[in-house]
Amino acid sequence: MREALALAQEHMLAGEGGPFGAVLVKDGEIIARGWNRVTRSFDPTAHAEVECIRAAGQALKSFSLAGCEMYSSCEPCPMCLAAAYWAHVDRIVYAATRKDAASIGFDDAFLYREFSREVKKRRVPLEQKLRAESQFVMRAWFELPGQVRY
């Protein structure tokens, strides 16, 4: 956890992004590090946890991080939490809470509210088109020999 906090502080002071850091550990060893790079990379998805997951996948040459634990300087936002679920991270340990983050301007409460709303009542309009064509591509992938399922 201290490594995640140190990354947060070091890279925040270097002007790379917000005060967030994360590490992924497997078998007691740090296999990847990440820190917030949103403002430096002009990438709104460059949160510490996502950056760490990307680095871990490359280090392990796997999209599955089963057997890994994440240590994050703050409770993961909905995007980062979803990424950890998709990566099959076994456990997440965090320091600051989302309320702590909200107190300095990183408030993601609106996302939790949005996701619980009906699709037609969300702030960002979602519109469905070409479902049959999409289903055709999906079925083709499902029937493709040798595809990697995840």
Side-chain angles (χ1 to χ4, degrees):
M1 181 60 78
R2 285 192 174 89
E3 177 68 12
L5 292 167
L7 288 166
Q9 184 171 6
E10 174 187 349
H11 294 283
M12 170 207 56
L13 292 174
E16 294 189 23
F20 307 102
V23 296
L24 270 157
V25 174
K26 185 169 185 158
D27 300 325
E29 291 187 40
I30 294 176
I31 58 161
R33 293 167 171 81
W35 51 90
N36 186 285
R37 295 179 183 175
V38 170
T39 57
R40 176 63 57 96
S41 66
F42 308 106
D43 179 355
T45 69
H47 291 199
E49 297 89 345
V50 171
E51 293 287 297
C52 192
I53 288 168
R54 290 172 179 160
Q58 293 298 308
L60 296 176
K61 304 287 186 239
S62 176
F63 54 81
S64 175
L65 302 180
C68 294
E69 296 181 336
M70 177 181 285
Y71 293 84
S72 178
S73 64
C74 188
E75 181 179 353
C77 74
M79 175 184 69
C80 294
L81 185 58
Y85 271 88
W86 278 115
H88 305 285
V89 171
D90 287 1
R91 180 178 146 202
I92 301 170
V93 180
Y94 62 90
T97 67
R98 62 177 138 162
K99 288 181 182 180
D100 297 328
S103 75
I104 61 164
F106 294 94
D107 191 357
D108 53 16
F110 78 97
L111 290 172
Y112 289 99
R113 287 190 304 274
E114 279 290 299
F115 295 155
S116 67
R117 299 174 111 182
E118 292 179 42
V119 171
K120 292 181 180 181
K121 294 182 179 179
R122 292 185 183 160
R123 189 181 80 183
V124 175
L126 281 87
E127 181 181 347
Q128 183 182 21
K129 290 187 177 198
L130 303 177
R131 182 177 180 206
E133 288 89 338
S134 179
Q135 288 175 319
F136 175 81
V137 174
M138 289 180 169
R139 279 192 301 275
W141 176 85
F142 185 77
E143 295 168 2
L144 189 68
Q147 95 281 40
V148 177
R149 296 198 182 180
Y150 51 98

